Amino acid sequence: MAAEAKIKCSVGLTGNSAVAYAMKQINPDVVAAYPITPSTTIVEEFSGYVADGKVDTEFVTVESEHSAMSACIGASAAGARVMTATSSQGLALMWEMLYIASGMRLPIVMTCVNRALSAPLNIHCDHSDSMGARDSGWIQLYSETVQEAYDNVIQAVRIAEQENILLPVMVCLDGFITSHSIENLCLLDDDVIKKFIGEYKPSQPSLLDVDHPTTYGAVALPDSYMEARRQQAEAMTLSKDVIINAAKDFEKISGRSYGLMEKYRMDDADAAIVILNSAAGTTKVAVDEMRNKGLKVGLLKPRVFRPFPYIEMAEALKNVKVIGVLDRADSYTSFGGPLFTEIRSSLYELDKRPKIINRIFGLGGRDYGVKDSLAVFEELLKIKDMGKIDKVYDYISVRE
Amino acid sequence: MKKGWKETPIRGIILEAGSAHEYSTGGWRKLKPVFDRTKCIDCMFCWVFCPDSAVIVEKGKMIGFDLEHCKGCGICAMECPDKVKAITMVEEEKEKK
Ligand code: SF4
Ligand code: SF4
């Protein structure tokens, strides 16, 4: 078959439709979910596929996100391939179960459509939800576009289920901005995806294996708890190579290349913005405008936030003179957002460390436009010229 | 020597069935069930209700307690029918004296 026949390009889908379609193609054994804006239509459309007999999935409707994740955990421990989706308060309600999913090493794949957390109540995009879950032991992949969200969901299944990893994976995309915007994207053939993800065969006896009865979720007292946690840390460390390898294989079937991060016009950049998800697209436009004026600026867009690729991050940023990390969430440390503190820490080993500032932007869906991006670049170049930083941590696009 | 983290089965799972048997919970006991065979009518209520499977039954007869695992909760004494009351809970220490 010709390569073109395998890839359907120029299909217009919203981020949520693309994720739902990827889930249909993956055809998981179990999906347990509870609807929450802006992730709702993923599950809504997927339930349509279930009702139409397009998938073999057991679709479990539950009364809350806590139960959704609980049902996912039970199903995954029973040996099923499991997926779900959520946002914001829904993710927050899953909190205790997120740690159980990762601690029990269950390769659940969940899409998190990023949305602000209450209070004040807000349904629009920021990264407070997934950033809050950054220490829950889940691998986290971030997606700039609808295409990336689709591609990440497919790769997530492969990454999660690797025998030496067995960790849950969260695929993040921006609420409304990506989830509800229609973009053209290329879809892969069902068969190609099936081959790429393979069949999920748990290497250990599952809960339903009556010939090999096992206990999942047993108590581990001080004499054994730490060994389990040490194993989890190892799996997270090993997952970096697994993510890279999955991306390499994915490129072979899709022609699209992914890594731990995307570097945009970074080669000789004096100033760089580091930013996640859809805002990276906006920033690229600003980079091009600045470059047209002969100003050496670039963009670094992390794709993998957990595990945090600190070596590659330092490598990518070591020749930049001034870095602006833009966080779409605050950690309320009074020092900076989550992306900032970790990138700043990654640079510590460098002999010559770049100057670095943090700007909190876009909370609760506050618009981030090209002009905002340009303003940050101008500030960065000013710092480069003056050689000093006025404020390390601040908010932008906020009314004074 | 217990296994190191590389050898421990991952996921915190326990691969053998019935391993709880090796874990003695008897030491938690403050009250201990004492059984009067002459009053017992072998109704098996105690056997059904004991949360620790610590009631020993042989050939349809209640014969006593597995004190390695009995936690002394007193459920058996409570459930033993009022008209027989074949089980009484006594303080572990007092009984020893
Ligand atoms: S006291 Fe409790 S644990 Fe002990 S035999 Fe009676 S019911 Fe079982
Ligand atoms: S509940 Fe009482 S009467 Fe019934 S079997 Fe147990 S000890 Fe005997």
Side-chain angles (χ1 to χ4, degrees):
Chain A
M1 208 191 297
E4 306 87 79
K6 284 204 182 279
I7 301 170
K8 288 188 262 326
C9 276
S10 291
V11 181
L13 289 178
T14 64
N16 281 356
S17 295
V19 170
Y21 196 76
M23 287 169 70
K24 168 186 171 280
Q25 294 182 296
I26 290 161
N27 193 7
D29 300 312
V30 175
V31 168
Y34 188 83
I36 182 163
T37 305
S39 69
T40 306
T41 47
I42 294 177
V43 176
E44 191 180 309
E45 285 182 30
F46 186 78
S47 70
Y49 295 133
V50 175
D52 294 344
K54 296 266 163 56
V55 287
D56 310 305
T57 309
E58 178 82 37
F59 184 69
V60 189
T61 51
V62 285
E63 80 290 359
S64 75
E65 286 85 356
H66 188 281
S67 303
M69 188 44 67
S70 302
C72 287
I73 288 168
S76 186
R81 176 174 275 161
V82 183
M83 300 183 81
T84 186
T86 195
S87 290
S88 180
Q89 307 301 122
L91 185 67
L93 189 51
M94 285 180 182
W95 225 252
E96 103 175 284
M97 307 318 290
L98 293 179
Y99 286 79
I100 294 172
S102 61
M104 283 170 65
R105 308 286 297 278
L106 301 171
I108 298 162
V109 171
M110 170 162 69
T111 303
C112 172
V113 181
N114 289 116
R115 164 186 152 182
L117 288 172
S118 298
L121 176 64
N122 180 294
I123 57 164
H124 292 279
C125 175
D126 73 34
H127 302 157
S128 317
D129 49 5
S130 60
M131 280 300 161
R134 68 189 184 275
D135 293 342
S136 63
W138 284 58
I139 290 169
Q140 287 191 338
L141 306 178
Y142 284 80
S143 331
E144 177 188 330
T145 59
V146 171
Q147 182 75 68
E148 286 186 19
Y150 173 82
D151 292 347
N152 278 340
V153 165
I154 295 162
Q155 290 175 66
V157 174
R158 165 91 165 253
I159 296 161
E161 293 172 1
Q162 288 299 303
E163 210 179 305
N164 60 342
I165 306 302
L166 294 175
L167 286 174
V169 181
M170 198 181 292
V171 174
C172 306
L173 61 139
D174 283 348
F176 292 111
I177 303 165
T178 313
S179 68
H180 285 61
S181 302
I182 295 175
E183 279 176 26
N184 274 342
L185 75 156
C186 302
L187 300 173
L188 294 167
D189 258 13
D190 293 4
D191 291 346
V192 173
I193 292 177
K194 220 164 241 143
K195 230 177 115 207
F196 177 77
I197 58 175
E199 205 186 318
Y200 175 45
K201 289 196 211 96
S203 53
Q204 280 163 314
S206 69
L207 276 182
L208 291 184
D209 186 347
V210 287
D211 294 327
H212 304 95
T214 44
T215 304
Y216 274 70
V219 65
L221 293 174
D223 72 337
S224 48
Y225 180 87
M226 210 157 160
E227 281 66 31
R229 288 298 181 185
R230 179 65 187 85
Q231 293 171 336
Q232 206 180 320
E234 186 73 0
M236 190 54 96
T237 304
L238 294 175
S239 70
K240 186 177 83 178
D241 286 343
V242 169
I243 293 167
I244 293 169
N245 289 335
K248 274 187 196 146
D249 287 347
F250 190 79
E251 187 173 1
K252 285 181 207 146
I253 59 165
S254 67
R256 294 183 291 277
S257 89
Y258 289 94
L260 300 167
M261 60 193 71
E262 184 192 335
K263 289 166 239 172
Y264 186 75
R265 305 189 81 166
M266 283 293 286
D267 280 349
D268 57 347
D270 287 331
I273 285 181
V274 183
I275 201 163
L276 290 167
N277 277 8
S278 67
T282 314
T283 310
K284 284 173 187 169
V285 178
V287 168
D288 290 345
E289 276 191 29
M290 301 286 278
R291 284 275 177 182
N292 287 344
K293 287 192 228 157
L295 298 162
K296 291 185 193 168
V297 299
L299 158 85
L300 191 146
K301 179 188 78 183
R303 171 178 176 242
V304 180
F305 187 73
R306 285 289 179 271
F308 194 77
Y310 65 100
I311 296 170
E312 294 78 1
M313 203 64 89
E315 187 58 33
L317 293 168
K318 69 176 185 209
N319 295 322
V320 177
K321 301 207 169 59
V322 191
I323 302 162
V325 179
L326 269 64
D327 265 290
R328 204 165 196 151
D330 199 346
S331 294
Y332 303 104
T333 57
S334 81
F335 174 54
L339 189 58
F340 171 70
T341 46
E342 302 203 6
I343 287 180
R344 195 172 191 266
S345 173
S346 303
L347 303 175
Y348 188 81
E349 302 296 333
L350 294 177
D351 295 329
K352 224 176 131 269
R353 289 191 286 271
K355 293 211 167 342
I356 183 164
I357 60 165
N358 183 215
R359 295 295 175 260
I360 308 288
F361 79 103
L363 301 186
R366 177 64 52 94
D367 223 7
Y368 170 79
V370 177
K371 66 170 182 11
D372 303 301
S373 188
L374 289 170
V376 173
F377 275 127
E378 270 151 27
E379 193 182 354
L380 296 178
L381 292 172
K382 214 168 99 194
I383 292 169
K384 185 193 139 234
D385 293 341
M386 309 289 278
K388 78 174 194 24
I389 294 170
D390 229 10
K391 269 185 175 169
V392 171
Y393 155 74
D394 202 0
Y395 277 52
I396 58 165
S397 321
V398 64
R399 285 187 303 277
E400 294 297 334
Chain B
M1 256 291 269
K2 291 207 170 180
K3 285 178 180 156
W5 68 269
K6 288 178 188 160
E7 283 78 43
T8 307
I10 69 155
R11 312 182 131 166
I13 67 173
I14 299 169
L15 291 162
E16 318 85 64
S19 62
H21 190 75
E22 286 154 36
Y23 191 66
S24 168
T25 47
W28 305 1
R29 202 170 47 239
K30 192 167 172 289
L31 295 174
K32 168 178 155 175
V34 174
F35 165 61
D36 184 347
R37 178 65 248 177
T38 60
K39 291 185 185 163
C40 174
I41 54 171
D42 292 314
C43 69
M44 299 299 138
F45 281 12
C46 55
W47 180 80
V48 167
F49 282 101
C50 173
D52 286 281
S53 306
V55 173
I56 306 168
V57 171
E58 266 173 25
K59 294 191 183 116
K61 290 210 174 306
M62 153 56 172
I63 60 162
F65 302 100
D66 166 8
L67 292 176
E68 275 298 303
H69 296 97
C70 163
K71 289 197 292 239
C73 66
I75 291 173
C76 53
M78 180 83 166
E79 296 298 337
C80 182
D82 279 346
K83 55 182 177 193
V84 283
K85 282 272 165 234
I87 302 172
T88 39
M89 301 303 290
V90 298
E91 272 195 49
E92 189 86 14
E93 287 307 310
K94 276 197 186 134
E95 208 261 344
K96 264 184 204 158
K97 274 174 206 162

